Amino acid sequence: MSVFSLTTPTATTADTAAPTLAIRHLTVRYRQTEALSDISVEIQAGEQVAIAGPNGAGKSTLLKAIAGLQPITAGEIRYFGAERAAPNSIAYVPQRLQVDWRFPVSVSDVVLMGRVGRIGLLRRPSRHDRLLAQRALERVGLAAFADRQIGQLSGGQQQRVFLARALAQEARLLLMDEPLVGLDIPSQDEIFRALAALRAEGVTILTALHDLQQAARYFDRVMLLNRRLIACAPAREAFTAANLVATYGGHLHLLSSGDGLLTVADTCCHPNLDGTL
Ligand code: ADP
Ligand code: MG
């Protein structure tokens, strides 16, 4: 998959009162594996939801199904009450390993590409488009990097470029697959700051994440997934011993932290190395 593929399913009429996402009885089967089994959940506009679960739990599959990149075996996903999402309303950021960072484009080019769906492939970006792209880079703290080649940036900076692209695209729903893998703590903090900027814009965010403490701290709800949906609730409600055992099974290490929250370490985590999406 290239850096530039965006999900732009055809528009149908959207119902503004409807949830951003309504997933009903979603099942996704690969040839041998049932990756997701009868998932039903609703995500409201502006919510930030972390998706947690062990390796192979179906986190990437769920994000790809929502992005329209993964065929659904059964069930349905509705976007703003409609069968399909409006063009450019979804931004999907794949795992870092699945992106070719040698591609010779500048940071501002990548962000401007978020405008392509709005301005059309053949029209040149207007001043307005450039201004939006520049403002998006400022929001994620990367204004000074606009002319750098994307491959020269650190992992955390690259992730923030994609957040800026989602902002420039004026996406209403941002899907991110393990954006923190391989990042040092300061870079992770930068990502969370950038996510706060998106929150201020009312963007709905779904992020696959391994660290349950980060999930509890930065997200409105945590979806615990292990092929089945175990819970999708604020961390305090979701992180019961029963839910954590159902999610992590044998990999479970329960720890209680100062504020009484249970935390878990699983024995993960190597993102798919085969380059598949
Ligand atoms: P996670 O992101 O939570 O690690 P995935 O969605 O990548 O989980 O995978 C869920 C299950 O589906 C795993 O058992 C995985 O091996 C399988 N799977 C994922 N992608 C494919 C594929 N392209 N073909 C066949 N099986 C797949
Ligand atoms: Mg994954």
Side-chain angles (χ1 to χ4, degrees), residues 60 95 177-178:
S60 298
Q95 289 185 359
D177 202 346
E178 313 245 12

Side-chain angles (χ1 to χ4, degrees), residues 97-112:
L97 283 176
Q98 294 160 343
V99 171
D100 184 357
W101 297 106
R102 292 164 306 177
F103 213 86
V105 288
S106 73
V107 166
S108 62
D109 286 340
V110 174
V111 178
L112 263 176

